[in-house]
Amino acid sequence: MTRLAAIPYASDFGIDAFMQGVVARLRRRGLRLGGVIQHNDAECANRCMAMSLEDLASGARFPISQDLGPAAEGCRLDAAGLAAAASAFAGALAERADLVVVNKFGKQEALGEGLRDEIAKAAMAGLPVLLAVRLDFLPAWRAFVGEDWAELAADADTVERWAIDATRLAA
């Protein structure tokens, strides 16, 4: 059993809501969670979502989107917000969370930025890590981690079973 798992998903799948549901289930099971999940709170004048990352240990939220104005076609990722959210991982490592959850391995991580270093640190520390990877980023994910990871279906029962087993293994 590997301590690293990814949920591949299609771009039209509601991964943020799915991950929020998984986190709620794992909290009900009593797991101490570290890492971050994404919330899409409100529309930015109907062009984009106001995105934030929630630190799963503290509940603090970090805005990660910026409105580029009325001529823009969408939102732009706010790298400063993403960097601030990276602090959530320091707590997960220091407190030895049962499980580290990362909402997504996305474009920034595929480019070698974003939360990539934090994902690596958590895995290297022996903590179980769960995240989602959009199908078009799977090649970058595989290049980053190799083949020693579990591919999980986007099914809450499957993900919960893996998480419980992975945390027992890490204990």
Side-chain angles (χ1 to χ4, degrees):
M1 155 140 237
T2 180
R3 293 183 185 155
L4 183 60
I7 305 163
Y9 69 96
S11 61
D12 62 347
F13 181 74
I15 195 64
D16 299 325
F18 177 79
M19 294 298 280
Q20 291 167 21
V22 165
V23 162
R25 286 177 75 143
L26 296 175
R27 283 180 169 155
R28 284 193 296 274
R29 296 288 298 245
L31 294 182
R32 291 177 304 116
L33 303 177
V36 294
I37 56 169
Q38 183 171 318
H39 294 274
N40 300 313
D41 299 320
E43 293 189 32
C44 303
N46 296 322
R47 288 184 315 282
C48 63
M49 299 300 291
M51 300 177 296
S52 64
L53 291 180
E54 175 190 353
D55 177 340
L56 294 176
S58 71
R61 287 204 188 179
F62 305 92
I64 61 165
S65 63
Q66 52 186 322
D67 190 347
L68 299 178
E73 294 291 318
C75 286
R76 179 172 179 184
L77 182 68
D78 181 359
L82 192 58
S87 66
F89 291 85
L93 293 173
E95 300 296 322
R96 295 292 299 175
D98 295 325
L99 175 69
V100 175
V101 178
V102 183
N103 202 69
K104 296 175 193 138
F105 179 92
K107 182 178 181 180
Q108 293 299 309
E109 289 76 20
L111 294 171
E113 299 174 6
L115 299 174
R116 188 177 174 123
D117 287 346
E118 287 72 20
I119 294 166
K121 286 177 187 173
M124 297 291 285
L127 297 175
V129 178
L130 171 67
L131 49 82
V133 181
R134 201 170 70 196
L135 293 174
D136 51 331
F137 294 122
L138 273 175
W141 168 249
R142 286 188 176 106
F144 175 52
V145 299
E147 296 301 322
D148 191 20
W149 58 282
E151 182 174 329
L152 303 177
D155 172 77
D157 291 335
T158 300
V159 174
E160 183 177 359
R161 274 192 303 277
W162 174 87
I164 297 302
D165 290 345
T167 57
R168 285 185 185 138
L169 177 68

